[in-house]
Amino acid sequence: MTYRDELEPETAELVRPYVITKGRGLPDEEQLSLITLVTAAADDQRRPTRLSPEEQNLLDLCDAGYLSVAEIAGHTRLPLGVVKILLSALTESGHLVTRPPVARAPLADKQILEEVLNGLRAKFG
């Protein structure tokens, strides 16, 4: 066995991220953040037959229901940037549906909380 023979199995499995993403760039952070929820579109007849294995894997994964971008990246074991690019492309083509995360609830007014606390103390001692 030569040195070249030892390297060939490892190099055959290596696929560069720009090959998987077809040279596309990262989407805006507002479009796909780590906590953006993603699911497959309801129309199963629109599912294309000409997808890369990575794109097909993403669609299969998103068929189960809403997952966050971070969860999808963890399940696929692909780099986060690659996952965001593929999800963005599938969303633009109508195969995936994204839902932005729920907005953070406003903080309660300190004065109202103090009045509630004082009322509870007055009632229950």
Side-chain angles (χ1 to χ4, degrees):
M1 180 179 263
T2 67
Y3 178 72
R4 182 174 172 85
D5 292 336
E6 291 176 6
L7 290 180
E8 282 186 35
E10 289 182 21
T11 57
E13 295 175 8
L14 180 65
V15 177
R16 300 275 182 201
Y18 62 83
V19 173
I20 296 172
T21 62
K22 300 176 185 162
R24 295 180 290 237
L26 281 169
D28 294 334
E29 186 65 26
E30 293 84 37
Q31 182 182 1
L32 281 176
S33 69
L34 285 175
I35 57 175
T36 300
L37 299 175
V38 182
T39 191
D43 190 9
D44 290 332
Q45 296 176 356
R46 293 194 59 199
R47 178 158 290 195
T49 56
R50 298 174 124 176
L51 288 178
S52 69
E54 293 82 14
E55 291 172 323
Q56 188 63 46
N57 187 23
L58 288 176
L59 280 179
D60 292 340
L61 189 60
C62 292
D63 268 341
Y66 280 101
L67 290 173
S68 70
V69 172
E71 289 173 317
I72 293 169
H75 286 298
T76 61
R77 297 181 185 220
L78 289 172
L80 181 61
V82 171
V83 171
K84 282 184 169 185
I85 293 168
L86 294 176
L87 290 175
S88 175
L90 289 169
T91 301
E92 288 173 4
S93 64
H95 304 305
L96 292 178
V97 177
T98 61
R99 191 180 88 195
V102 177
R104 180 180 264 189
L107 295 176
D109 186 19
K110 184 177 178 181
Q111 182 181 356
I112 292 175
L113 292 175
E114 287 177 355
E115 289 176 14
V116 170
L117 181 61
N118 292 337
L120 289 172
R121 282 184 182 156
K123 182 161 182 125
F124 298 109

